[in-house]
Amino acid sequence: MNPIVADTLANPRFQLFATAVFSGATVASLILGYQSLERGQRISRLKNSIPRSEADDGKVTYSDPPVDKEDARNQALARRAQAGDFDEELILEQLARNRVFLKPEGLDKLRDSFVVVVGCGGVGSHATASLARSGASKIRLVDFDQVTLSSLNRHAVATLADVGTPKVRCLERRLIAIAPWVQFDLRQEKFDDDVAEKLLGPWGKLTASRISLLTQSTTLTPRLHCSSTATTTSFL
């Protein structure tokens, strides 16, 4: 063995340093392993607690509109999450990158906001998907139209299976599978002067800030500024 290497290995300081590094690495590995195991167990408990979507006879139960087994599970989880029965740590972990970018106070403000998206097509669907993934928890979707084959080249989440489905329903169906805690208020109707005040109105008794995203051409711009609720309007 090289004399220099032998002297280094025999040096008490080096041995102490090596022991400290090895011990630190071992402790760090144990901590990370425990956290990973704990996270996995939480997710597993959450998945196992979702009600089964099959009846006692083994047949899939359907609601209106008809849903498949996976949709039924997603809807069951969404009902629980929106009722507050969802691990907050899992939500914050999913929104971790957004929290770094927005800062905790910014993310809290977004999660407390109520967003109205008028128009759920090529632009509105992407805006809605980004909002749901970013932490917005209350989103009202306004669009009278249905998903068509020609929609699929630009819609954020629609698939062939969604053709003929209302655009607002399609967005809710796909996004609760990603962010089940998001509450959607679906309004399948045309946005015009007669219903503008109602569609841009508050979410129940909610008095938090509202953000209105207008994603289609309209002459109703003044309506967006006539509300007792604090409003920020964006034209996409």
Side-chain angles (χ1 to χ4, degrees):
M1 180 182 293
N2 189 303
I4 297 178
V5 174
D7 291 343
T8 301
L9 294 176
N11 189 308
R13 290 186 177 180
F14 175 80
Q15 293 176 350
L16 181 61
F17 173 76
T19 301
V21 170
F22 177 77
S23 299
T26 301
V27 172
S29 298
L30 289 174
I31 292 175
L32 292 175
Y34 174 76
Q35 291 177 339
S36 177
L37 177 62
E38 186 181 49
R39 185 184 303 111
Q41 289 176 339
R42 289 205 311 268
I43 294 175
S44 179
R45 286 196 300 269
L46 179 63
K47 289 181 177 179
N48 291 335
S49 67
I50 300 173
R52 293 177 60 83
S53 59
E54 297 180 351
D56 293 337
D57 58 3
K59 295 181 179 179
V60 178
T61 57
Y62 293 97
S63 61
D64 184 25
V67 293
D68 59 23
K69 182 177 179 179
E70 187 65 24
D71 283 338
R73 287 174 58 83
N74 291 336
Q75 290 177 5
L77 177 57
R79 285 193 294 271
R80 284 186 45 212
Q82 292 166 22
D85 184 13
F86 199 91
D87 194 327
E88 179 69 10
E89 289 187 19
L90 294 180
I91 296 177
L92 292 179
E93 183 176 342
Q94 186 167 332
L95 300 175
R97 297 298 180 88
N98 308 78
R99 196 179 189 195
V100 171
F101 179 74
L102 297 173
K103 308 302 181 186
E105 59 274 14
L107 181 60
D108 289 342
K109 184 179 294 186
L110 179 59
R111 293 184 69 185
D112 290 338
S113 295
F114 157 40
V115 185
V116 182
V117 180
V118 180
C120 299
V123 176
S125 63
H126 284 274
T128 303
S130 295
L131 285 164
R133 292 173 185 270
S134 297
S137 58
K138 291 182 174 63
I139 304 176
R140 176 177 294 157
L141 302 177
V142 182
D143 198 308
F144 70 95
D145 207 359
Q146 297 180 338
V147 177
T148 62
L149 280 173
S150 63
S151 303
L152 300 184
N153 72 331
R154 60 189 182 278
H155 199 279
V157 297
T159 68
L160 280 171
D162 297 307
V163 172
T165 302
K167 290 180 179 179
V168 294
R169 179 72 64 185
C170 169
L171 277 170
E172 180 198 38
R173 176 191 180 194
R174 299 300 180 185
L175 293 178
I176 62 172
I178 299 170
W181 57 85
V182 178
Q183 299 180 53
F184 289 97
D185 179 15
L186 308 183
R187 304 297 182 94
Q188 189 186 357
E189 52 187 302
K190 189 172 183 179
F191 185 89
D192 58 29
D193 194 53
D194 294 333
V195 296
E197 186 173 352
K198 177 187 70 172
L199 295 179
L200 296 176
W203 180 294
K205 297 181 179 180
L206 183 71
T207 58
S209 298
R210 184 186 69 228
I211 304 172
S212 298
L213 301 178
L214 204 60
T215 66
Q216 57 189 17
S217 299
T218 181
T219 59
L220 301 175
T221 304
R223 281 284 187 176
L224 295 173
H225 301 281
C226 300
S227 172
S228 58
T229 307
T231 305
T232 301
T233 305
S234 297
F235 299 89
L236 303 179

